[in-house]
Amino acid sequence: MASCGGGGGECHQSHCQRSEEDGGAEEETRERVASLSFAGDSPTSSATGDGALERCTKCGETVAAAAPRAVNGLCAACFRAYLFGKFKLAVTTNAMISPTDNVLVAFSGGPASRIALQFVHEMQCISLKNWDASKSQALPVFGVGVAFIDESAISIGPLHEMNKVIAQIRSIVSTLSPAHKELHIAPIENICSTSSNDGRIRLNELLDSVTDATGKEDFMKYLRMLTLQKIALDNGYSKLLLGSCTSTIACHVISATVKGQGYSLPGDVQYVDARWEVPVVLPLRDCTAEELNKLCHLDGLELLQLIKRPSNSINSLVSSFVARLRDENPSRERTIVRTAEKLRPFCFNKFVENTYHEFVPSRLRCKFQNINNSETALSEVLCPLCGSPLSEPEVQSLRNIQEKTQTPVENFAAHCCQSCSFQILPKGAESLQQFYTVLPQSVTVRVTDGTSDHSQLGELIDDYLLVVDDDDDDGT
Amino acid sequence: MDNNLFKPGERVAVAASGGKDSTVLAYVMSELNRRHNYGLDLFLLSVDEGITGYRDDSLETVKRNEIEYGLPLKVVSYKDLYGWTMDEIVKTIGLKNNCTFCGVFRRQALDRGAALLKADKLVTGHNADDIAETVLLNILRGDIARLSRCTFITTGEDGPIPRCKPFKYTYEKEIVMYAYFKKLDYFSTECIYSPNAYRGFAREFIKDLERMRPRAILDIIRSGENFRTATSTKMPEQGTCERCGYISSQKLCKACLLLEGLNRGLPKLGIGRARGTNGLNKRVEQRNLRSERTGSNIESKQCGTLDF
């Protein structure tokens, strides 16, 4: 557990570069850490005896332990290197970022997305340095942009708060130099309409028609993803990077189970999610919220204090449940995610082959979908609201409805997964019709977007398909 | 009916603890059998773990059920089968891993009892709440093998006696209400040895969840049924125990291993993860082994069996 992660050599390099650039930031960190433990707020100080010094389990430096037992007494520098190592390993092993990519980092202001932004920036700096130093400069350096969703249209906080927040974000992004990063601030209502006022009205109407508290929260989550996808598409980004960490994913595993979404769950917990037009990558998947929080604290990274509306949903119940489990056993979150990892992922959990794919080392070619594989040809039917692949019984019920003539609304509703049908779609034909009219076009268009074509294609080639054995995806 | 659980002429043993689930199960099975002529030969099968002040009282309830429902009763006891009662076991090993012993012994006891009765099937009173809890527990523990099996309505078809759970989709609340309105006679106290089982975490969560969204319990079961588990998940190879001939993936079945420990004064033998295939080479887990296989602690629920 005390290893610095896969890229040991490179971690060290980045660490050295940092101290070169910042001239003694490392010293500052150590002092800060030392003062932390003397102040007695680190739990290990009581374990080791008030402010007693101990050796870092990795580098042997005699400093006060930076973190609680969960990170096994690493000093601040090694702890940082350990987290960065995990990030880098995830990126390289899954071929997440190619030199030609333009990566959009979704920034919420919380610790996870702050660290994601920081680490991507550091990777970019390393690539830049390497590019500078290389004679041929054949491969370019990937670009990075930042996206923030302005939710003041539905927020309970005063309006001027958002202006402060936006100013803060601009200042954070401006500190990430060299390599300029474009900042995109998109109001959430833009997904409903380009006109701001009309957008607000439509958005609020949409949210009011969702009566279930959990449904409302989840619907907002789906709208956020659509907004991020829109920003990415409109501005030429090729990857969308989220800061989803182990803790978030553990909560999602439980919530999805509890909402009956067990079939689609494996699609949401992988490193890569290519079902979207701009593929989504999760490089912080193996870091817990506690670790990321700790690092923000140690590095003095600025976080946004956004007012959260009180929640009485299943999601918040699950969060407190997982928090109780974590208190009882800190590694429970990892175990939960590991269980979900043992489920069979979907074909969209791999990148689609592209021109860059030829430059990828052969050991990483398996991270790309084989387009000749029949599994890809028969793609899953996806729910237009949440993007979940429909399970066999759901598809069956959809086909049954499609056999009879139906209106666009009925067709749309039939394509929704049973969880969205229950918690989001309004009950009653009239309210459903109204809801459908106000839905963003980017949602409704997903139904006519070739899912029926795929099933027809499936039927066409069905006779010619050989029976393929399941992959030897040994979950143990 | 949808799951074709039974065929006419089958001998079916109803696992009965005297608690609400098994009492309602026995009542409903015998009623339906009578009304719709299922042609089933029903028996009550009860396990006496030898817990004074708990099991002896609940067994009285089962004996009354035998008379009330007209179903013959067979009681198998730990004392007869293993030479130890739970009271004696707890005196020897304390309250830490007692539920492990009880769970392992009970599973075998039920199978042996069912075999003595020449039963074709065993039915247990596990309800929707139980199964939802088990799905969650298996996720929390990383037990993908059990996760893929725990929602089957019938299990152990390749084992000694197939078992089914007709109440798989029945809420605990419904069972309680049914028992109440039908004025059924059942025993409702929790086992005196039940510790702070890990299952309690999941149970509390599910109760809160049910209050918020009642259908969530069935949704958990549906998720469990739909999990995309790899078909090549390594399942343990099934053999037989060298000592007693019971089904086992190791040289000695778990019950024999635990008994060995008890008889030799090695209470930790068989507790914790196995190292290697030699069943006798176990090492003790570093953390407290919270017995994952226990039943919940509420209301006469029969302690969970292992075959999830």
Side-chain angles (χ1 to χ4, degrees):
Chain A
M1 274 301 288
S3 72
C4 266
E10 303 232 38
C11 288
H12 196 61
Q13 206 179 53
S14 77
H15 160 68
C16 281
Q17 281 176 348
R18 225 169 58 95
S19 46
E20 270 168 31
E21 284 167 32
D22 307 339
E26 198 190 341
E27 292 297 316
E28 269 177 55
T29 317
R30 288 222 187 105
E31 280 168 35
R32 208 181 305 131
V33 160
S35 66
L36 273 179
S37 73
F38 276 116
D41 66 345
S42 160
T44 45
S45 59
S46 51
T48 57
D50 305 284
L53 300 178
E54 55 178 56
R55 291 189 177 280
C56 167
T57 51
K58 170 74 184 169
C59 64
E61 292 274 346
T62 313
V63 285
R69 278 198 313 274
V71 285
N72 281 352
L74 294 174
C75 68
C78 287
F79 177 56
R80 188 177 206 289
Y82 160 70
L83 286 188
F84 185 75
K86 284 207 273 197
F87 176 87
K88 197 155 192 297
L89 187 67
V91 170
T92 49
T93 323
N94 294 284
M96 277 185 193
I97 301 176
S98 72
T100 50
D101 270 328
N102 239 344
V103 180
L104 182 65
V105 179
F107 183 64
S108 66
S113 56
R114 183 67 187 88
I115 300 281
L117 185 54
Q118 190 66 35
F119 281 173
V120 165
H121 163 67
E122 287 177 22
M123 274 194 74
Q124 194 187 33
C125 289
I126 295 171
S127 296
L128 207 52
K129 272 204 160 71
N130 292 339
W131 183 80
D132 266 340
S134 104
K135 286 190 187 147
S136 63
Q137 296 187 340
L139 287 179
V141 177
F142 62 91
V144 176
V146 184
F148 175 77
I149 301 180
D150 172 1
E151 295 186 24
S152 44
I154 52 159
S155 146
I156 49 174
L159 217 57
H160 66 265
E161 281 295 321
M162 189 46 70
N163 295 335
K164 262 206 285 183
V165 162
I166 291 178
Q168 250 184 304
I169 300 175
R170 286 199 199 282
S171 125
I172 290 173
V173 175
S174 64
T175 62
L176 302 172
S177 60
H180 168 73
K181 290 157 187 59
E182 194 76 37
L183 172 61
H184 308 272
I185 305 213
I188 183 94
E189 63 269 26
N190 278 7
I191 198 75
C192 290
S193 161
T194 39
S195 134
S196 168
N197 229 11
D198 188 31
R200 273 176 192 248
I201 295 170
R202 286 171 88 101
L203 178 63
N204 279 302
E205 192 181 332
L206 268 180
L207 290 177
D208 286 340
S209 50
V210 180
T211 48
D212 185 285
T214 313
K216 213 186 288 257
E217 266 182 29
D218 287 350
F219 188 49
M220 274 307 299
K221 206 172 71 171
Y222 308 145
L223 291 181
R224 271 180 215 119
M225 175 53 89
L226 285 176
T227 308
L228 289 170
Q229 287 286 317
K230 185 172 191 306
I231 299 173
L233 282 168
D234 290 348
N235 293 281
Y237 288 97
S238 50
K239 296 271 165 64
L240 177 60
L241 194 148
L242 302 183
S244 307
C245 62
T246 305
S247 316
T248 323
I249 296 177
C251 288
H252 179 71
V253 171
I254 308 281
S255 329
T257 303
V258 148
K259 293 168 192 167
Q261 295 174 307
Y263 178 74
S264 57
L265 174 61
D268 307 329
V269 305
Q270 308 300 323
Y271 290 104
V272 172
D273 185 352
R275 78 190 104 166
W276 307 97
E277 278 192 75
V278 180
V280 177
V281 294
L282 309 180
L284 284 181
R285 205 192 75 149
D286 300 321
C287 304
T288 62
E290 194 186 349
E291 289 172 336
L292 297 171
N293 258 318
K294 198 77 197 175
L295 187 58
C296 280
H297 192 51
L298 286 176
D299 280 5
L301 294 177
E302 206 184 336
L303 301 174
L304 302 180
Q305 301 302 329
L306 292 166
I307 304 171
K308 279 210 167 104
R309 43 171 21 126
S311 166
N312 185 27
S313 66
I314 287 181
N315 302 324
S316 54
L317 182 67
V318 169
S319 283
S320 18
F321 176 56
V322 173
R324 271 204 303 284
L325 293 174
R326 187 176 53 235
D327 289 339
E328 180 261 336
N329 180 351
S331 47
R332 186 64 61 195
E333 286 169 334
R334 283 208 176 90
T335 310
I336 294 173
V337 174
R338 217 177 303 129
T339 314
E341 269 175 46
K342 293 177 189 172
L343 301 172
R344 253 185 318 130
F346 294 89
C347 55
F348 55 70
N349 290 117
K350 289 183 173 183
F351 292 118
V352 174
E353 283 177 8
N354 53 28
T355 44
Y356 174 63
H357 154 262
E358 286 155 22
F359 295 100
V360 169
S362 49
R363 66 187 164 84
L364 292 181
R365 298 263 175 95
C366 60
K367 302 294 175 184
F368 290 78
Q369 295 177 39
N370 182 350
I371 49 173
N372 298 321
N373 188 336
S374 60
E375 207 190 289
T376 322
L378 298 170
S379 41
E380 309 274 343
V381 179
L382 301 181
C383 169
L385 283 172
C386 64
S388 299
L390 299 190
S391 65
E392 183 62 45
E394 287 168 327
V395 173
Q396 198 47 54
S397 132
L398 166 65
R399 299 287 173 240
N400 290 342
I401 293 177
Q402 279 182 324
E403 273 165 23
K404 317 168 191 147
T405 49
Q406 356 80 19
T407 62
V409 189
E410 285 167 352
N411 186 37
F412 175 81
H415 274 83
C416 290
C417 67
Q418 57 79 31
S419 170
C420 289
S421 286
F422 171 73
Q423 64 174 18
I424 296 178
L425 294 185
K427 316 282 181 275
E430 257 185 63
S431 20
L432 180 60
Q433 179 69 50
Q434 184 53 30
F435 180 78
Y436 181 73
T437 341
V438 191
L439 267 180
Q441 210 190 19
S442 45
V443 174
T444 53
V445 93
R446 291 169 74 175
V447 170
T448 50
D449 217 20
T451 47
S452 48
D453 289 347
H454 278 292
S455 72
Q456 283 167 10
L457 182 66
E459 278 161 15
L460 272 176
I461 64 174
D462 197 30
D463 286 330
Y464 304 98
L465 288 178
L466 297 171
V467 175
V468 177
D469 284 339
D470 281 340
D471 285 345
D472 254 305
D473 225 358
D474 195 337
T476 60
Chain B
M1 300 294 300
D2 289 343
N3 289 285
N4 297 320
L5 288 182
F6 306 113
K7 291 194 269 295
E10 273 183 333
R11 289 172 66 88
V12 176
V14 178
S17 64
K20 64 174 174 9
D21 297 316
S22 50
T23 301
V24 172
L25 180 65
Y27 180 81
V28 168
M29 290 284 296
S30 66
E31 265 302 299
L32 291 177
N33 197 31
R34 191 183 358 257
R35 258 191 239 169
H36 300 283
N37 296 321
Y38 286 164
L40 299 175
D41 231 343
L42 295 174
F43 302 83
L44 290 178
L45 175 59
S46 208
V47 176
D48 179 7
E49 303 99 339
I51 302 177
T52 343
Y54 171 66
R55 190 50 80 204
D56 42 4
D57 290 342
S58 72
L59 277 179
E60 291 306 310
T61 316
V62 185
K63 286 188 185 135
R64 286 200 296 276
N65 289 342
E66 177 186 20
I67 301 166
E68 283 157 6
Y69 310 149
L71 300 173
L73 167 67
K74 170 96 188 121
V75 180
V76 286
S77 77
Y78 282 8
K79 191 69 186 177
D80 290 339
L81 284 173
Y82 310 115
W84 287 76
T85 62
M86 274 313 293
D87 285 344
E88 289 164 0
I89 292 176
V90 171
K91 260 199 213 106
T92 314
I93 65 160
L95 282 172
K96 235 178 224 177
N97 297 312
N98 46 314
C99 288
T100 302
F101 282 81
C102 194
V104 172
F105 286 168
R106 183 178 312 96
R107 179 214 242 269
Q108 236 200 62
L110 282 174
D111 281 341
R112 288 190 189 282
L116 282 171
L117 290 173
K118 300 209 195 336
D120 300 305
K121 275 203 178 82
L122 182 62
V123 289
T124 55
H126 292 95
N127 57 44
D129 296 47
D130 292 325
I131 298 187
E133 269 166 46
T134 306
V135 169
L136 280 182
L137 277 179
N138 286 331
I139 292 175
L140 299 184
R141 286 166 35 204
D143 198 334
I144 195 72
R146 284 212 172 88
L147 189 60
S148 60
R149 301 193 311 259
C150 67
T151 48
F152 293 170
I153 198 166
T154 306
T155 49
E157 277 148 328
D158 47 353
I161 307 262
R163 301 173 172 220
C164 37
K165 307 178 174 79
F167 284 159
K168 177 183 170 190
Y169 298 109
T170 315
Y171 281 60
E172 185 179 37
K173 274 204 168 72
E174 295 174 303
I175 291 178
V176 172
M177 288 204 291
Y178 188 89
Y180 175 74
F181 286 113
K182 288 285 188 181
K183 298 188 175 28
L184 297 182
D185 180 11
Y186 65 89
F187 181 72
S188 58
T189 309
E190 59 177 68
C191 176
I192 56 176
Y193 293 133
S194 61
N196 224 346
Y198 195 60
R199 191 174 271 265
F201 270 120
R203 185 146 192 84
E204 202 188 313
F205 171 64
I206 287 190
K207 284 299 150 196
D208 291 337
L209 197 59
E210 193 186 9
R211 237 172 277 133
M212 213 179 261
R213 187 189 280 187
R215 65 174 260 168
I217 293 182
L218 290 182
D219 282 342
I220 295 177
I221 299 179
R222 181 163 351 108
S223 285
E225 289 167 342
N226 291 337
F227 278 140
R228 285 161 61 96
T229 43
T231 46
S232 58
T233 302
K234 261 202 290 248
M235 294 294 183
E237 249 181 59
Q238 283 187 4
T240 46
C241 171
E242 281 174 0
R243 196 167 295 181
C244 67
Y246 189 66
I247 191 172
S248 169
S249 60
Q250 312 292 330
K251 271 202 211 152
L252 285 187
C253 70
K254 194 73 167 184
C256 285
L257 188 63
L258 293 175
L259 263 181
E260 181 80 6
L262 279 176
N263 292 327
R264 291 207 286 176
L266 298 169
K268 295 286 192 183
L269 193 65
I271 307 290
R273 298 255 161 85
R275 199 192 288 225
T277 50
N278 183 351
L280 287 175
N281 250 356
K282 310 275 190 192
R283 73 173 160 84
V284 178
E285 261 196 283
Q286 284 136 14
R287 286 196 297 278
N288 276 351
L289 179 75
R290 253 172 262 240
S291 202
E292 313 99 349
R293 297 165 183 155
T294 58
S296 72
N297 313 319
I298 299 173
E299 304 239 337
S300 83
K301 193 167 284 297
Q302 65 185 100
C303 272
T305 57
L306 286 182
D307 64 330
F308 293 136

